[in-house]
Amino acid sequence: MEPNLFEAVDAYIEQLFVADSKPAILENCEREGIPNWAVSANQGTLLQVLALTCRATRILEIGTQGGYSTAWLAGALPENGKVITIEIDEHTANVARTNLSNAGVGHKTEVICGNALDVLQQMITSGTVPFDMVFIDADKPPYKEYFEFALKLSRPGTLIIADNVVRGGKVLDEDSDDPAVIGVRRFNETLAANKRVRATIMQNVGTKSHDGMAIAVVL
Ligand code: DHB
Ligand code: MG
């Protein structure tokens, strides 16, 4: 099948199911020099469906970037709900705060600027209340560690999602020297072997080309 067929179907799905694709966030990211690694509008909608499925009021996101997926997740929350999202770069974190405020979800989001591994350790040390859903979408080499922290910040029923775990099929290459491929392969194997979760990977095609999201529920 040709890739443009996947894109055409993605556009068809978006036209049916997405009333507002939040272009202002992506436009502001472009103005601010932030790379466009955000999820697609259809993937954002999927994140909303998943957040609503687990009736999430507390969501943890690892990797904010411009706040595009954060805004989708916040859109699935009740008024008293919160997405706590971690971004390593200060400029990017500030752009995300502006984007989320402009999108009308500033009160439902908290952007923490810092190294996620440190912030997550601090959350565990301080006895943070478990999250209902975790979305991992940051740098790929420490995905396994992000997952292990996510599990510690979970309760039975928590949904853990991880973006970009297929990478155009590069994930099949067990001899890859690409740090992102090595990172997601390590994560995928850890996820598959972990007895505390039931998980799978859903391949995605469309405007973001060929990739996949891991979906796990904590038992
Ligand atoms: C990359 C990261 C992402 O989170 C994504 O969705 C796409 C690409 C990257 O690091 O290249
Ligand atoms: Mg991603």
Side-chain angles (χ1 to χ4, degrees):
M1 276 196 274
E2 316 123 58
N4 62 6
L5 180 59
F6 295 143
E7 287 184 28
V9 174
D10 217 20
Y12 165 79
I13 297 167
E14 182 175 328
Q15 160 256 315
L16 275 176
F17 293 96
V18 178
D20 171 15
S21 65
K22 311 185 192 303
I25 298 182
L26 301 175
E27 284 160 20
N28 194 39
C29 285
E30 190 170 356
R31 267 196 298 278
E32 295 287 349
I34 295 172
N36 186 10
W37 292 340
V39 298
S40 68
N42 289 336
Q43 290 171 328
T45 307
L46 173 65
L47 292 175
Q48 286 201 339
V49 170
L50 293 170
L52 290 163
T53 301
C54 62
R55 298 190 192 282
T57 63
R58 285 173 51 73
I59 300 177
L60 172 64
E61 181 181 56
I62 305 171
T64 314
Q65 250 226 334
Y68 189 74
S69 48
T70 322
W72 280 104
L73 289 165
L77 291 176
E79 274 309 300
N80 64 346
K82 197 106 185 189
V83 186
I84 296 174
T85 180
I86 308 169
E87 170 56 45
I88 194 163
D89 180 73
E90 200 170 324
H91 171 67
T92 306
N94 282 326
V95 172
R97 288 183 188 110
T98 302
N99 288 341
L100 292 163
S101 168
N102 290 343
V105 291
H107 61 297
K108 289 191 201 173
T109 54
E110 181 186 347
V111 182
I112 298 176
C113 186
N115 181 309
L117 295 173
D118 298 336
V119 175
L120 293 164
Q121 181 55 60
Q122 215 171 339
M123 282 180 176
I124 289 161
T125 307
S126 64
T128 298
V129 175
F131 291 94
D132 305 310
M133 178 173 170
V134 182
F135 181 48
I136 302 172
D137 191 19
D139 53 325
K140 313 310 169 195
Y143 255 36
K144 172 179 184 276
E145 286 72 22
Y146 293 150
F147 167 68
E148 285 163 353
F149 275 122
L151 208 47
K152 287 185 184 163
L153 291 161
S154 293
R155 46 133 182 104
T158 296
L159 206 53
I160 301 176
I161 314 292
D163 196 25
N164 313 117
V165 300
V166 171
R167 315 196 68 77
K170 287 192 203 142
V171 75
L172 298 177
D173 182 2
E174 57 192 39
D175 299 319
S176 176
D177 56 9
D178 176 342
V181 172
I182 295 168
V184 298
R185 280 181 58 85
R186 205 167 142 256
F187 163 80
N188 291 341
E189 286 159 24
T190 300
L191 185 69
N194 194 294
K195 298 282 191 290
R196 280 195 57 206
V197 297
R198 185 79 180 107
T200 190
I201 294 170
M202 223 169 67
Q203 296 190 66
N204 309 139
V205 291
T207 57
K208 294 282 160 179
S209 73
H210 178 207
D211 215 319
M213 278 193 196
I215 305 181
V217 61
V218 178
L219 302 173

